[in-house]
Amino acid sequence: MAVFFYQTQDGQADYGFSIEYEHKEGWRIYIVFESPRRGNDGNPQFPYQATAEDGRSYVDWPPTLDHLGDAKEVAAFWAEIGEHHQAA
């Protein structure tokens, strides 16, 4: 598994994603690791986050992602949304 690494624009958080192609679903962005600032404080899942049947968390983006480049952009955008959500 190759991990797509992303650091937020403010440099305060790091994320890792496994972007995998799934037949009939397109590219799915699995969350390998998240910012340690988020912790596990009992908050509900962040926006656009879901759990797959195998128990892995993934970015639940409504449109099908047909291109790997688009999936990487969505992963980065999701990380920025997560940091904004954490700060709120």
Side-chain angles (χ1 to χ4, degrees), residues 9 18 21-22 25-26 52 54 56 61 75 77 81 84:
Q9 292 178 1
S18 175
Y21 189 80
E22 298 194 358
E25 301 219 9
D54 63 3
R56 296 190 293 168
W61 199 252
F77 183 66
I81 289 172
H84 178 74

Side-chain angles (χ1 to χ4, degrees), residues 1-75:
M1 163 181 53
V3 175
F4 170 64
F5 174 81
Y6 181 78
Q7 185 174 64
T8 55
Q9 292 178 1
D10 64 5
Q12 298 297 309
D14 299 321
Y15 291 83
F17 302 96
S18 175
I19 302 174
E20 303 171 17
Y21 189 80
E22 298 194 358
H23 184 67
K24 297 183 182 179
E25 301 219 9
W27 292 96
R28 180 174 275 184
I29 306 160
Y30 289 97
I31 305 161
V32 177
F33 62 87
E34 303 175 42
S35 168
R37 290 189 324 164
R38 290 172 65 171
N40 186 4
D41 58 4
N43 286 339
Q45 288 184 324
F46 285 8
Y48 302 106
Q49 183 175 347
T51 304
E53 293 173 1
D54 63 3
R56 296 190 293 168
S57 293
Y58 68 96
V59 177
D60 188 16
W61 199 252
T64 301
L65 298 169
D66 294 325
H67 303 284
L68 179 59
D70 293 342
K72 288 180 177 181
E73 286 182 26
V74 168

